[in-house]
């Protein structure tokens, strides 16, 4: 059975995901289990769960190869990408599909959480 993960994303990136400009969510660590969606927690100042994104694929590549494959829909600059993956031999990207923006924002406690995850948490 596929599970979902909840991840923290800053408001600028959340806007770009919702608008469709950012079709990949980059991570230093990927979920080990098969996941179907990302539940998006928008960080300060919003501090609410605002949307859910379908996961079409999980890419695992050396950073430069990952950039070459995803740069058209990255929604971030190469400089930001390089800084994020500095000294990493492997980089991950969730390829995002359909985005569902919640009519009403949810709180972490709605998912039994007290604090936002540093990387991700299974839901």
């Amino acid at each position: 059975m596929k599970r979902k993960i909840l991840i923290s994303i800053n408001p600028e990136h959340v806007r770009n995901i919702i608008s469709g400009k950012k079709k990949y969510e980059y991570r230093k660590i990927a979920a080990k289990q098969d996941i179907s969606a990302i539940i998006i927690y928008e960080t300060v100042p919003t501090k609410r769960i605002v949307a859910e994104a379908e996961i079409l694929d999980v890419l695992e590549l050396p950073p430069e190869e990952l950039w070459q494959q995803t740069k058209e829909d990255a929604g971030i600059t190469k400089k930001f990408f390089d800084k994020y993956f500095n000294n990493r031999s492997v980089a991950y990207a969730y390829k995002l599909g359909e985005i569902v923006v919640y009519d009403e924002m949810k709180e972490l406690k709605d998912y039994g959480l007290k604090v936002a995850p540093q990387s991700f948490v299974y839901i």
Side-chain angles (χ1 to χ4, degrees), residues 54-77:
E54 173 190 26
I55 294 175
L56 300 176
D57 197 9
V58 182
L59 306 174
E60 177 182 344
L61 294 164
E64 195 51 41
E65 283 183 49
L66 184 64
W67 179 256
Q68 290 307 319
Q69 282 194 29
T70 62
K71 64 185 176 185
E72 299 302 319
D73 295 309
I76 58 172
T77 64

Side-chain angles (χ1 to χ4, degrees), residues 16 21 35 37 44 58 119:
N16 287 335
K21 181 179 174 188
I35 53 173
V44 175
V58 182
S119 54

Side-chain angles (χ1 to χ4, degrees), residues 37-52:
I38 292 171
I39 297 169
I40 299 171
Y41 173 80
E42 189 171 313
T43 59
V44 175
T46 312
K47 293 167 61 173
R48 294 279 186 278
I49 295 160
V50 297
E52 190 170 312

Side-chain angles (χ1 to χ4, degrees), residues 80-93:
F80 185 94
F81 179 93
D82 287 343
K83 185 176 178 187
Y84 183 72
F85 288 116
N86 187 31
N87 293 326
R88 295 275 174 166
S89 57
V90 177
Y92 300 93

Side-chain angles (χ1 to χ4, degrees), residues 111-122:
Y111 291 85
L113 301 172
K114 288 183 172 59
V115 295
Q118 285 296 315
S119 54
F120 68 87
V121 62
Y122 290 103

